Structures are given as structure tokens and as C-alpha cells.
Amino acid sequence: MEIDAAREVRTTCPYCGVGCGVLAKITADGQVSVRGDPDHPANFGRLCSKGSALAETIDLDGRLLHPQIHDRPAGWNEALDVVASTFQHTIAEHGPDAVAFYVSGQLLTEDYYLANKLMKGFIGSANIDTNSRLCMASSVAGHRRAFGSDTVPGTYEDLELADLIVLVGSNLAWCHPVLYQRIAAAREKRPEMKIVLVDPRRTMTSDIADMHLAIAPDGDVALFTGLLAWLGQHNALDRAYITAHTAGFGQALFAASTLDLAGVAAATGLSEDELSRFYSLFARTEKTVTVYSQGVNQSSQGTDKVNAIINCHLATGRIGKAGAGPFSVTGQPNAMGGREVGGMANMLAAHMEIENPGHRERVQRFWKAPAIAGEPGLKAVEMFKAVADGRIKALWIMATNPVDSMPDAGAVEASIKACPFVVVSDVLAETDTVRHAHVRLPATAWGEKDGTVTNSERRISRQRPFLAAPGEVRPDWWIIAEVARRMGFGEAFAHKSPAGIFAEHAALSGFENDGERDFDISAYAAIDVEDYEGLAPFHWPAPSPGTPLWPAGRPEGGAQAQLQSEGGAQAGTRPEGATSIERQPTRFFADGNFYTPDRKARFIALRPTVETRITAAFPLVLNTGRIRDHWHTMTRTGKSPRLSQHIAEPFVEIHPEDAQRHGIGDADIARVWTPRGDVLVRVLVTTRQRPGSLFAPMHWTDQFAARGRLDTLTASLTDPVSGQPALKHVAARIEKFTAGAFGFAVTRKRPVTMAADYWATARCRGGWRVELAFANDDIDWTAFAGSLFDAADAEMLAYHDREAGQHRIAAFQGEHLAGALFIAPGPVAVSRGWAAEQLGEVHASQRERFRIVAGRAGAERPDAGATVCSCFNIGVNQITAAVAAGCNSVEAIGATLKAGTNCGSCRSEIRTIIQARRVQAAE
């Protein structure tokens, strides 16, 4: 395929673990647009707000385009030689465990495979871990304890076939919106479907729930252990399944029975009536899927939570059947692919076990490796502690930003700064982690990458390039292979393309497998470049013809249904644009056949414990998470103007009772403290928040806010089994930041420095928008504006009312606005959307310029209000006006304004606006 020709390319979204298919259309002049792939079986054409805005994130602004050594430009040969020689010298002097790789669920499977191969098989250490440790390690540990393997039993289709969906610790509407929309569409067809949300917060996902259980932090083990006891007491067990396919049930039920309903209520903060109604619903509904995510995983009890859920599904035989099973949804596009290649410190490639001598010998023999790691390496939190204390002396960070995303991020940053040698492979020249690298290696970004990813339902899809790699940018797999070659391992890393790496990965999955291991894609072991280019999305397992599927049992429809396309060709070799390759998806464990020595699943006996972390000094529980339109540390979404409008600054949610108790009002700036530090964030007072708790998102970094790095507050406390950090239960306190002045600005140029106690920047069309707060108001605002706008030759227009504390300053270069600053004694009331729009308007007359200084549009240009629908840039005022005009349903709003008709992520908010308007009308 010609990379510079007009074309439409099938690829896969680089955000969450849903794994949506994307069609990227490139015109002859290089313009890119994206839409959902209607033939991809993960999304059938749907995209969320983030996926819909991908074309806004592929510019070269801020890209790292050339290798650098100690901040100076360098050629690839010099940079790679420095990396390889430093690793070699470090290993020779201090041993293989003195080096470490910290990698990412953003890597493609081929990148991941080579990184793991180099570290575990050729360097001989298991000190390779991944940011996936932060999102799904507890799921992996729970699966392995129960099933003997890291196997996701079900598929997305189960979400549409279930009669009951239990969402646990998952804000699906915002974090996995396409799955949320698939459930919503199924519910419209089958209104009898029931949905239960288990979450301390009343998130936007509650909009679809029949029951919201506002559980206490870390009450999940008690909730599901209590459910197991209830099932036993009410004769709601599948005793035939338990007897034939499981072990340890008696011990698990005995442990669960020590907790009565009153005890569960005390541990969960739920009423006995709520518990009884939920338990009864679960007990009588055969087709039940329990979907869980970070609220389960990111806990010091995460693995126990996973097994408490799985226990209930094993006890009822609701696993591996259409519309029934436990279902972990992952947070990253290739967290699953990383698990397949053994990209975590306690795993081997192809779902083999690092603790198993036979598995170690097998992998070493397949790789023809000089060594193999003999024991698990350091997990993420342990790894950075080893960097801090000097055990790790050379660190390679790939495609991730641990200075912002790791718990106790301040300590992590200090450890990286003190490390003798740090290499960072990344796409951006400036991140909070890249700034500390001794060597910076420019890697390909989405649109340039070529490889595969695996989504939450075990479906492998291609990410294909449709843009030429700019500058001296190179693929991650190539960078890893070149370092390996320079370290003397060239023969084992002689791959010429990602197709060859994928073929090797597939071959290892089937090597001496014979159905012993769940992960087997050996049907693709001989794939060539042409077939790899046309590889269609497929579920694993996909063993080579004739390979038994013991102990997984046959896929539904038979093995050949899994391995054959509708046209009879081997799965994946169809040309682009062909129809789906599968007749029926594979599920695991309906007939038992688990990956344990006796082929039986293991019940885990659990005794819930209640952890109290709050103290008199830190009386609130801080819960961290994601928001709808941003993702991770904003290195991609922060480029998009439309994604930056919905929520443009770091914030904290607090219940009205707590806000009143702490003297904090809506839109104030607050300081949130934990024993590790503090952040400054905007306040959102809402009854959606559980009393006694705070919620704040983790996205903001030093690149976008003055003091917004939320994970500087979280602790390095981890789950004892999985090593996953507890990011959702942190003791905290809050206090009002007493501001002498608040500000808001728009500016064509991105501000470089700001002399403000609080600031947060966000992209908008034509420039940047900036939120500000100052401890005092004794400031020369005209001079401040000039510095902010960086427009020395601009014509300034200003209004000052010093007694009222009101200042408005606009700067014009020719007929265009260079910047506008609005200062007030309280939160600035000017319309953000309208002000940002002025950067793209022509302002030829004084009247138009005075409107900007006045801070409001004329009557002929109504203010759209705060953005609700990012896809179509529809604001709250427009929706409110449409409701007043008679649009009394989400569907009517969609028909009138298009809001909510693309990704659907905003439908919950639209419904809330409609309901609020009805309440006002009733009053």
C-alpha cells in the first residue's frame, strides 16, 4: 500500500481495551478523518468521543523526532550504541538484575514480545514490568488462582445476551463507552434486562441501572462473599457443576457463612434490604454477567475481590455460557497482548509460568536463549523502589509516563532523577518522564504503528499505518531489536518486519502445547507479510489444524468454525473489507476443563476484612479515576480541542454535606492533601459523590496544570498477590484555597510560564484556554496579560474596576485576537466556549472588540454554554433551550441537535439536563 496515496485503512483504536475497529480515510492532500469500522465485531461502527477525535491528535506538534543524548541531538547509531553498551557494562559490573524495563499497554504485541524476549531470555532477568500492572494485574492473579490460567471466559456478545448485568467498580459509560452503548442497545430491544451498578459514586453509568449499590470503599469482598453464603442458604447452587468441575467449595462456603446479612451490611455500607434485593435478583437470574474494572482491581484486596466474584459464578455454573460469566474489562488497548507475551515480571511468554522449571526450559529452548530468568522479577511498585535504593542502575521506559501514573509519583520521579542511566522511548519530546531521560528515543505513534493488539474479549486485531513515520522516528520493535543486536544477540533478533515477530509469537504459543495451555494461536505460525497485512480480527484460541483443545474443550461450532472464515480460508487471510471471519465466538469452561492439574477450578475461601484508613488528620477517602474525554496522562487527548472542552481542568467531586462542613463552595479552588503531598483542583459539589469521599481524575500533569499530579497523593500500598496499587482508597483531607483573584484567559500561543498559584491549560480551536487563581490580587494585570499572550506588538484594550476587583484585557494583532484575560474576585463567569471561539474570528470593528472586553456575545449569538456533546460541540445552554422548546427525551434532543447520536457518551448527561428542567418546571 502506498503510504502517500488517497486511501481508507482499517486499523484499531489506541485507547481502552474495547479494541474498536477504526477506518482512517486519507485524502490525496493528506487530510485525515476517522470513523468506526462497521465490520469490526468489537464495535460494529461505533466510536466513543475519544476515538471519534483521533484525527485531531496526529499532528507533529511536540513530537520527539530525533534521538537525543543528554539533551543534544544524536544519530541512531550513537544513541543505540550508548544504550547497548551501558546495559552491557551495568550487567557485567552488577549483574542482570541491575537493569530493568518498564513498558506499556500502549506497545503493540510485537514490541512487547521482543522486549520480554530480550529481558527474560537474553539479559536473563525478569525485571520487566508494565503500566498494565496498574490496571489489570489483580484480574490476572484472580484468574490464575481460580482457573489455573489467565483466561477471560466470555465475549462481548454475552453482554447483549445476559438477562442481568452486574457492573462492579466500572464507570462503563465514560471509561468503555462503546460497550455501554452495546448494552444500552440490547436493553432497548429487551427491556426486561436488568442492570445493577456497584460503585461508591453515582456515576453516569447509573443512568442505565435498575439498582445502584453505593458500596463503601473496598466493600466488594464482603458483598460477593455474602452473596455466596446467600446462594448456599437459598438452594441457588449448581451442585452438579460444583461436583464435576470445581474444588474447595466446602471451605469457601464455610468461610462465607461466618458473615450474616447484618455483617455484610456493616462491611459494605448498604442496607439489608438493598442486599436482599440484589442477592435475590442474582440468585434467580441464570444468564448473569458480572463486569468489573478498576474499582475491583485497583485495591489492596483486588485479587480477593476478583475471586469473590468468580466464586459466585462457579457456584452457580454461570461461566462460559452464552450470556453468563465473570468479565474483566481492561483499561488499555493492548494490556491483554502484554499478558499473552509475558510482559509482566511474574509471567513467561505464551501464558507459561515463570515459576515452572519445565516452562522455563521450554521457552529457553524455543528462543535458543543463553539464559532464562529463574524467578519472578520486580513488579512496578517494587521496581521503582529498587531504582530509588540503587539496586536498579539502568532503566528503559517505553511508551508510558510513570512520573504521573505511578502511585506515590513524587517518590517515583525522585528515583528516576537519581538513576544513573535512564532511557525513554516515547512519541513526545516533553512529558514529565521524558524530561529526566539521559537518552531519548523517538518512537512511532498511532497512525504510524504496524502490529497487533488484543482486546478484553481475547480478540486480536491489526493496527495498521496510514501515515509515514516523520523525522527519524522508528518502531519500538525495531529499536529493541537494534539494541539486542548491539548487545550480541543479533541472530535471535533478526526480524525484518512485525509479521515475522507475530509468526514467532504464534509459533511459541503452540510449541509443545497440545492443548495444555489456553493461549494458542499457532494457526498463524507460518503467516507471511501479505497475509499479515490482511489479517482479520479473530478470537483466540486459534490452534493449528489438528491440535486438540484440551483442556479448554471445543469452541462452540467446532474447532474448524474458529479456524475457518466464511469462505473457507484460514482465519485472517481475507482481504480488507471482507466480512467477519467467525461464525461463533469461543467461550471457556462451560464444561469445566480448567487449566489446573486436575482440570478443576479452585474456589478461594475468603474472610472479608474492613480496612479503615481515614484518621482525624485525614478524615476523607480519596477515590481516583478517569473522565469521559481524556485518557491516561493526556499525551494524546490533550492535543484535541474538542476533547479538552468538556472538562478542561483538574477537579475534585465532593458531596454537599462535606463541602459545607469544610467551608468549600462550588467552583472554588481546593487543596487536597494526603500524607504524601497536595494538589490544587477545582471543586465540583455534587450529590453523585458518596458522603465522606472525594473523587478526582488522574489525567493532569505538569504539562497541563500547576499542581494537578493526582498520583503524587496516592500510596505505594499494593495487593499482596497481584502487586497492583490501591489507587481508590486513600485517606485525604480538603481545604479551601483562599484566592485573592480568579482568572480565565484565551490565547493563540501556548503559555510557557505563568506567575499564578493555580493554572490549568487546555487546547481549544485556534489556541489555548487557561484557568487561573492567585493568592492575592496585588498584580499588574496588564503586564501579566502581556506575558501570558506573548504578543509584544499587540494592540491592548482594557477595562479595570479595581474596587470591584474586575479586570478585562484583550490584545489584538491586526484583526485577530491574540488573547483575552478576565479577572474577578470569584470564579469568572464568562462563557468559556464563546471566548475560545473568538480566537478564530475576525475583529475589525471597535464594537466587536469591546464585546470581548465585556465578556459576552451579542443577543444575535446565544451562548452555547459548557460543552456536553464533544462529538458535535453542543453546549448545555443549547440542550436546555431545546428542552424548553419541547424536546423531552434524549432521542428528541438527538434529532434536533445531533447531541448523543454519535458515540453516546453524553446521553446520561443529556438525560440529567432534561430531568432537571422537568423539576424546575414542576416547581
Side-chain angles (χ1 to χ4, degrees):
M1 179 185 295
E2 293 293 327
I3 206 74
D4 56 353
R7 61 211 177 277
E8 190 167 64
V9 175
R10 291 182 186 274
T11 185
T12 307
C13 182
Y15 288 118
C16 75
V18 175
C20 296
V22 175
L23 292 175
K25 184 176 183 179
I26 305 91
T27 62
D29 63 355
Q31 297 297 308
V32 176
S33 60
V34 300
R35 64 187 177 95
D37 183 350
D39 293 326
H40 197 288
N43 59 314
F44 298 107
R46 298 180 179 93
L47 287 179
C48 72
S49 59
K50 294 183 288 291
S52 298
L54 275 166
E56 297 183 8
T57 69
I58 56 177
D59 60 57
L60 299 184
D61 185 29
R63 282 292 298 273
L64 179 64
L65 297 175
H66 307 279
Q68 297 176 1
I69 301 174
H70 295 295
D71 297 323
R72 66 169 175 82
W76 270 110
N77 283 332
E78 181 186 9
L80 293 168
D81 285 345
V82 167
V83 173
S85 63
T86 303
F87 282 166
Q88 285 178 308
H89 294 154
T90 302
I91 293 165
E93 185 171 353
H94 303 285
D97 288 337
V99 300
F101 295 172
Y102 185 64
V103 298
S104 166
Q106 288 292 290
L107 293 176
L108 303 185
T109 297
E110 294 74 9
D111 309 324
Y112 243 137
Y113 179 85
L114 288 195
N116 184 59
K117 180 180 179 180
L118 174 58
M119 178 56 80
K120 290 189 178 132
F122 289 81
I123 292 175
S125 170
N127 281 348
I128 174 171
D129 212 47
T130 165
N131 62 6
S132 299
R133 178 73 59 188
L134 311 182
C135 82
M136 35 51 64
S138 292
S139 288
V140 174
H143 288 161
R144 292 176 72 179
R145 288 207 300 189
F147 308 147
S149 60
D150 177 23
T151 310
V152 175
T155 71
Y156 293 161
E157 185 184 42
D158 295 324
L159 303 177
E160 297 161 328
L161 298 176
D163 294 324
L164 170 63
I165 296 177
V166 184
L167 300 171
V168 190
S170 171
N171 186 7
L172 214 64
W174 277 19
C175 299
H176 299 91
V178 169
L179 292 186
Y180 176 84
Q181 290 305 320
R182 287 185 66 164
I183 293 171
R187 175 97 174 252
E188 287 182 7
K189 295 177 182 177
R190 293 192 300 117
E192 66 274 15
M193 176 192 285
K194 300 296 182 184
I195 299 171
V196 176
L197 175 65
V198 182
D199 197 307
R201 303 166 61 218
R202 185 161 53 87
T203 65
M204 288 300 169
T205 303
S206 67
D207 177 67
I208 202 174
D210 299 282
M211 184 187 304
H212 172 217
L213 302 178
I215 195 168
D218 282 335
D220 310 83
V221 175
L223 178 68
F224 285 93
T225 301
L227 173 57
L228 182 64
W230 175 280
L231 296 170
Q233 293 161 4
H234 291 78
N235 197 28
L237 303 169
D238 186 336
R239 294 195 177 274
Y241 189 92
I242 292 169
T243 301
H245 303 305
T246 73
F249 174 71
Q251 297 93 317
L253 185 62
F254 177 78
S257 298
T258 61
L259 197 65
D260 61 13
L261 202 61
V264 177
T268 61
L270 303 172
S271 70
E272 293 187 32
D273 178 64
E274 287 176 306
L275 292 169
S276 296
R277 287 189 290 118
F278 169 53
Y279 289 173
S280 177
L281 179 61
F282 188 102
R284 68 175 182 265
T285 309
E286 182 68 23
K287 287 189 173 183
T288 297
V289 175
T290 304
V291 178
Y292 62 91
S293 191
Q294 309 310 350
V296 168
N297 294 328
Q298 290 179 337
S299 167
S300 60
Q301 306 173 12
T303 306
D304 284 352
K305 291 183 182 185
V306 172
N307 286 116
I309 291 168
I310 291 173
N311 280 350
C312 296
H313 281 270
L314 292 174
T316 53
R318 297 173 188 170
I319 188 167
K321 299 175 182 177
F327 204 124
S328 162
V329 289
T330 54
Q332 293 200 81
N334 205 29
M336 290 284 282
R339 289 147 73 170
E340 294 159 8
V341 304
M344 301 177 81
N346 57 323
M347 301 173 72
L348 272 183
H351 280 200
M352 283 182 269
E353 300 169 0
I354 200 167
E355 303 89 348
N356 186 316
H359 289 185
R360 294 199 303 269
E361 186 276 334
R362 179 184 295 140
V363 174
Q364 183 175 3
R365 183 159 38 88
F366 179 88
W367 281 341
K368 299 179 182 178
I372 196 76
E375 59 185 11
L378 297 173
K379 299 167 186 173
V381 171
E382 299 168 330
M383 179 182 289
F384 284 101
K385 288 182 177 179
V387 174
D389 65 26
R391 284 175 289 158
I392 291 174
K393 302 180 184 301
L395 175 65
W396 190 351
I397 299 168
M398 304 180 198
T400 187
N401 196 5
V403 165
D404 296 314
S405 58
M406 282 291 294
D408 199 3
V412 169
E413 181 171 31
S415 74
I416 293 172
K417 289 171 69 174
C419 187
F421 186 65
V422 176
V423 183
V424 176
S425 304
D426 211 315
V427 302
L428 292 184
E430 293 184 15
T431 72
D432 292 355
T433 298
V434 168
R435 63 190 178 191
H436 301 305
H438 300 101
V439 178
R440 299 166 185 160
L441 303 177
T444 48
W446 183 82
E448 305 150 10
K449 284 179 175 289
D450 189 4
T452 58
V453 293
T454 307
N455 73 359
S456 295
E457 63 166 351
R458 294 177 279 105
R459 189 183 296 278
I460 295 173
S461 300
R462 287 276 277 114
Q463 268 195 24
R464 294 183 175 89
F466 54 87
L467 298 171
E472 295 183 273
V473 166
R474 297 290 185 271
D476 286 285
W477 69 263
W478 181 91
I479 299 170
I480 296 162
E482 284 296 309
V483 169
R485 184 172 67 82
R486 285 165 168 79
M487 293 180 72
F489 310 129
E491 186 177 348
F493 292 84
H495 308 87
K496 302 299 182 184
S497 72
I501 304 169
F502 184 81
E504 180 181 320
H505 167 53
L508 176 56
S509 76
F511 183 58
E512 298 177 359
N513 189 333
D514 297 323
E516 177 186 344
R517 306 187 300 274
D518 64 337
F519 179 68
D520 187 344
I521 57 169
S522 54
Y524 301 96
I527 196 168
D528 59 21
V529 171
E530 182 180 356
D531 284 347
Y532 182 78
E533 175 57 31
L535 184 67
F538 70 95
H539 274 127
W540 62 259
S544 57
T547 300
L549 287 173
W550 176 89
R554 292 178 306 170
E556 296 169 271
Q560 294 307 308
Q562 173 70 17
L563 298 179
Q564 299 291 324
S565 72
E566 292 178 350
Q570 180 174 294
T573 60
R574 67 181 174 89
E576 290 184 32
T579 55
S580 176
I581 66 171
E582 295 175 77
R583 293 176 181 171
Q584 284 189 307
T586 300
R587 296 181 178 89
F588 284 85
F589 310 138
D591 298 320
N593 291 320
F594 294 89
Y595 292 91
T596 55
D598 61 2
R599 309 185 200 178
K600 291 188 175 185
R602 299 294 188 260
F603 279 93
I604 306 298
L606 300 169
R607 296 183 186 275
T609 59
V610 177
E611 294 190 48
T612 301
R613 295 182 187 156
I614 59 173
T615 65
F618 298 97
L620 300 170
V621 171
L622 173 63
N623 174 13
T624 71
R626 298 178 179 177
I627 60 172
R628 191 189 77 186
D629 289 355
H630 278 309
W631 196 74
H632 281 202
T633 60
M634 295 166 57
T635 50
R636 181 182 293 114
T637 55
K639 285 174 164 278
S640 167
R642 79 163 103 160
L643 295 180
S644 299
Q645 302 315 299
H646 180 238
I647 298 175
E649 59 185 321
F651 68 93
V652 62
E653 285 185 359
I654 185 170
H655 190 273
E657 294 174 5
D658 294 319
Q660 184 177 29
R661 185 177 302 112
H662 292 277
I664 296 170
D666 203 33
D668 279 346
I669 305 297
R671 193 182 300 274
V672 179
W673 293 84
T674 74
R676 286 152 295 282
D678 66 283
V679 296
L680 287 174
V681 290
R682 185 75 68 177
V683 173
L684 175 60
V685 179
T686 173
T687 55
R688 288 183 172 271
Q689 183 58 45
R690 177 186 172 89
S693 296
L694 307 171
F695 171 82
M698 51 80 69
H699 307 292
W700 275 265
T701 70
D702 286 350
Q703 309 299 314
F704 292 96
R707 296 187 65 85
R709 288 173 54 208
L710 194 74
D711 275 316
T712 60
L713 305 187
T714 56
S716 57
L717 177 67
T718 61
D719 178 282
V721 180
S722 70
Q724 182 159 355
L727 301 178
K728 293 185 171 293
H729 189 173
V730 182
R733 72 172 183 263
I734 189 170
E735 62 187 40
K736 180 178 180 177
F737 172 75
T738 304
F742 290 80
F744 172 74
V746 292
T747 174
R748 297 184 73 83
K749 294 181 180 179
R750 183 174 187 173
V752 178
T753 59
M754 283 170 278
D757 298 277
Y758 171 87
W759 59 262
T761 61
R763 286 293 294 265
C764 62
R765 298 200 184 280
W768 296 81
R769 51 182 285 187
V770 188
E771 299 288 346
L772 300 155
F774 308 83
N776 65 75
D777 62 352
D778 187 18
I779 295 171
D780 182 338
W781 296 113
T782 302
F784 178 87
S787 173
L788 186 70
F789 304 151
D790 187 24
D793 60 340
E795 177 187 349
M796 306 289 277
L797 191 63
Y799 166 84
H800 299 285
D801 184 343
R802 289 176 175 79
E803 186 174 340
Q806 297 278 353
H807 306 269
R808 301 171 197 152
I809 303 162
F812 299 89
Q813 291 177 312
E815 295 183 342
H816 294 279
L817 180 67
L821 173 66
F822 306 88
I823 299 294
V828 176
V830 69
S831 167
R832 271 62 173 163
W834 171 83
E837 288 174 1
Q838 304 314 301
L839 293 170
E841 301 287 335
V842 174
H843 304 282
S845 71
Q846 284 294 101
R847 181 182 178 186
E848 290 167 339
R849 297 184 177 198
F850 276 119
R851 278 183 178 174
I852 293 176
V853 175
R856 58 181 179 270
E860 73 280 5
R861 296 188 61 180
D863 174 21
T867 300
V868 173
C869 175
S870 298
C871 296
F872 296 105
N873 197 29
I874 303 299
V876 62
N877 293 348
Q878 292 170 286
I879 296 170
T880 301
V883 174
C887 295
N888 291 318
S889 68
V890 174
E891 291 71 24
I893 292 292
T896 302
L897 301 174
K898 292 189 176 182
T901 61
N902 183 41
C903 75
S905 302
C906 62
R907 290 171 66 90
S908 299
E909 289 171 88
I910 294 171
R911 188 170 285 108
T912 299
I913 294 167
I914 293 169
Q915 291 169 347
R917 177 72 185 181
R918 286 173 179 164
V919 170
Q920 291 175 356
E923 292 175 346

